[in-house]
Amino acid sequence: MITASVTNIHRYSFIMAMGYLTLCQINRVYIFNYGILSTDFSGPLMIITQKITTLAFQLHDGLGRSFKSLTKDQQQYSIKKKPSFLEYLSYHLNFMSVLAGPCSNFQDYIAFIEGRHIQSKLLNSKANGYTKLPNPSPNEVVLYKLCVAAACLVVFLTFTKAFPILYVVDETFINKTPFSIRLGYLYFATQVCKPKYYFAWTLADAVNNAAGYGFNGVDEKGKFRWDLISNLNIWNIETATSFKMYIDNWNIQTAAWLKRVCYDRAPKYRTGLTFMLSGVWHGAYPGYYFTFVTAIPVMLAARAMRNNFRHFFITSTSWKFLYDTLTWIATQLAICYTVAPFVLLAAGPSIQLYKSLYFYLHVVCFLALIVLPTKPSGRAFSKGLEINHSEEKQNSADNTKNHLS
């Protein structure tokens, strides 16, 4: 950070941080304790890797690139001066996020440390029409998030033993159980694995909020928002009607990091490169790579199917409800199929699971990519624009009505 030129600081920092993380992940998996997840250095190291690279890329944007060449997000978070040593250590090692994160932007963190964080958000809210706003207290939202974290922990401890994920590759289960039952069991087995992530991320969010960090202004209903660095939206995850909607609400800050350091900067193959970076960052277990490699055709196929079919179903409320129901079922089945190797970890069980399910989602996705055009026809595209414009007008009218109220 000190000696590298601003034109290369992001490259050197990325190579050093990701390279060291990868060596440590390989060491942890193949030398220390393969197949057994334990509390060790890898979690905090993954968070620090995000912070090191985020800071380096934002410093490169602020000092090594012209302002006009940046995207809106890059312009907002670009850094015009190298941080001091104390600022650097504080950002990376502060007690609030050193264990479980989440990663946040350097500018937001410094504004919080200097006492400008909440006031700047309140000024933005007042500029949007809210004139009488008291100083926000995090007590209510912290209590709520602690209750959610406790509930998730109870659910995980209660149901994870009832639906062990390794049972999906049991020979007797595979040979004597119909395909539909095996698929249903896989859904429940992956569902009960999620609350442990809900617990960790919600608790980490509550810790930051309790310190006063994470305030994000006022929503359209006039309520204070404490979701600046939230890592998930449980309701949107469980009701997701598309693969993208699910990913956008799961591990939100990691998705933002991947977008800022890879997706927005890759010249081509952005989706594939982003998923591969995510796999390398997560660790050296083969199951991670099965998940993220599988996610690439699933994401592309879901996008193609949405572009080609959605406009037929949004002409009426009943058809839209049917579309949402079918896409919710398809999304949940696609997610459990895709993430199962992430939980199984090893290559053997992952391949065995996919063989027992006849690689059905891989086949469906590749057929969709071969048969369907990647872009909608001109008529369908125009129709979609008209519908989206109508929806935007309705949303604008609703927001105006809420504001007047």
Side-chain angles (χ1 to χ4, degrees):
M1 183 65 71
I2 295 172
T3 59
S5 65
V6 292
T7 55
N8 291 311
I9 191 171
H10 60 305
R11 295 189 180 95
Y12 295 153
S13 296
F14 182 86
I15 293 171
M16 289 293 293
M18 284 299 301
Y20 182 73
L21 173 65
T22 301
L23 289 175
C24 289
Q25 295 279 29
I26 293 172
N27 203 35
R28 179 177 78 96
V29 172
Y30 295 105
I31 296 178
F32 287 159
N33 211 358
Y34 185 90
I36 300 177
L37 290 175
S38 59
T39 303
D40 57 19
F41 60 84
S42 61
L45 191 61
M46 291 164 70
I47 298 298
I48 292 176
T49 298
Q50 286 188 359
K51 291 182 178 182
I52 289 173
T53 52
T54 296
L55 178 57
F57 274 88
Q58 291 175 349
L59 194 60
H60 168 68
D61 291 338
L63 298 177
R65 299 175 64 189
S66 64
F67 188 78
K68 293 182 180 180
S69 66
L70 305 177
T71 65
K72 186 176 180 180
D73 179 82
Q74 291 167 354
Q75 290 175 353
Q76 180 180 356
Y77 292 110
S78 61
I79 302 170
K80 302 298 183 182
K81 184 181 71 171
K82 288 187 177 183
S84 67
F85 185 59
L86 180 59
E87 289 173 334
Y88 187 82
L89 291 181
S90 177
Y91 172 63
H92 291 318
L93 301 176
N94 70 85
F95 75 93
M96 300 176 297
S97 60
V98 69
L99 290 180
C103 176
S104 60
N105 291 293
F106 180 77
Q107 285 190 356
D108 289 333
Y109 176 75
I110 293 300
F112 161 70
I113 289 296
E114 295 178 350
R116 298 180 285 105
H117 171 62
I118 290 180
Q119 290 304 317
S120 64
K121 297 294 183 181
L122 287 176
L123 287 175
N124 291 336
S125 300
K126 290 177 180 179
N128 292 332
Y130 294 98
T131 55
K132 295 181 179 180
L133 291 172
N135 287 328
S137 170
N139 294 343
E140 182 179 349
V141 70
V142 168
L143 182 61
Y144 169 76
K145 290 179 180 179
L146 289 176
C147 291
V148 171
C152 292
L153 183 61
V154 170
V155 170
F156 174 71
L157 295 176
T158 302
F159 292 101
T160 186
K161 292 183 179 179
F163 296 93
I165 187 67
L166 287 176
Y167 192 58
V168 299
V169 293
D170 181 80
E171 291 289 347
T172 303
F173 178 71
I174 293 173
N175 295 329
K176 295 186 177 181
T177 309
F179 176 84
S180 59
I181 302 298
R182 283 185 276 123
L183 194 59
Y185 182 88
L186 177 64
Y187 170 74
F188 285 108
T190 53
Q191 280 290 102
V192 299
C193 292
K194 292 191 294 185
K196 68 177 179 181
Y197 298 101
Y198 293 170
F199 164 75
W201 290 334
T202 305
L203 182 60
D205 197 14
V207 168
N208 282 272
N209 293 164
Y213 188 31
F215 181 68
N216 200 22
V218 181
D219 63 15
E220 64 274 5
K221 296 181 180 179
K223 294 183 178 180
F224 293 126
R225 296 172 55 191
W226 286 88
D227 59 352
L228 179 68
I229 54 174
S230 294
N231 232 347
L232 78 164
N233 186 316
I234 296 176
W235 176 257
N236 287 349
I237 289 172
E238 299 300 338
T239 61
T241 56
S242 70
F243 199 79
K244 183 180 184 301
M245 180 180 175
Y246 194 103
I247 292 176
D248 287 346
N249 291 280
W250 174 273
N251 207 353
I252 296 171
Q253 301 308 319
T254 294
W257 170 71
L258 290 168
K259 184 175 185 296
R260 286 173 180 148
V261 304
C262 183
Y263 189 86
D264 288 344
R265 301 173 193 270
K268 54 184 179 179
Y269 309 121
R270 296 189 297 177
T271 299
L273 289 174
T274 302
F275 277 120
M276 290 307 299
L277 173 59
S278 182
V280 173
W281 176 78
H282 274 89
Y285 286 109
Y288 295 163
Y289 295 91
F290 277 95
T291 288
F292 292 110
V293 170
T294 300
I296 297 172
V298 173
M299 173 70 82
L300 297 176
R303 186 183 302 165
M305 295 183 73
R306 178 182 175 86
N307 289 339
N308 285 276
F309 297 113
R310 183 176 184 271
H311 57 277
F312 293 117
F313 291 90
I314 55 179
T315 55
S316 67
T317 304
S318 57
W319 280 107
K320 179 66 164 56
F321 177 78
L322 175 63
Y323 175 83
D324 288 341
T325 302
L326 294 176
T327 51
W328 177 82
I329 295 173
T331 299
Q332 296 301 317
L333 292 178
I335 288 294
C336 71
Y337 179 96
T338 304
V339 304
F342 191 95
V343 184
L344 293 171
L345 298 178
S350 300
I351 296 173
Q352 187 177 4
L353 171 66
Y354 282 159
K355 286 176 63 178
S356 70
L357 296 176
Y358 314 114
F359 293 91
Y360 84 92
L361 189 62
H362 287 88
V363 174
V364 170
C365 289
F366 282 115
L367 286 177
L369 292 174
I370 293 171
V371 174
L372 297 176
T374 55
K375 294 182 179 180
S377 63
R379 182 179 178 184
F381 182 70
S382 300
K383 189 173 182 180
L385 284 179
E386 293 174 2
I387 293 169
N388 288 335
H389 181 63
S390 175
E391 291 176 350
E392 288 175 1
K393 289 177 66 178
Q394 182 62 41
N395 291 335
S396 177
D398 292 341
N399 290 338
T400 303
K401 184 178 179 180
N402 290 332
H403 174 65
L404 293 175
S405 299

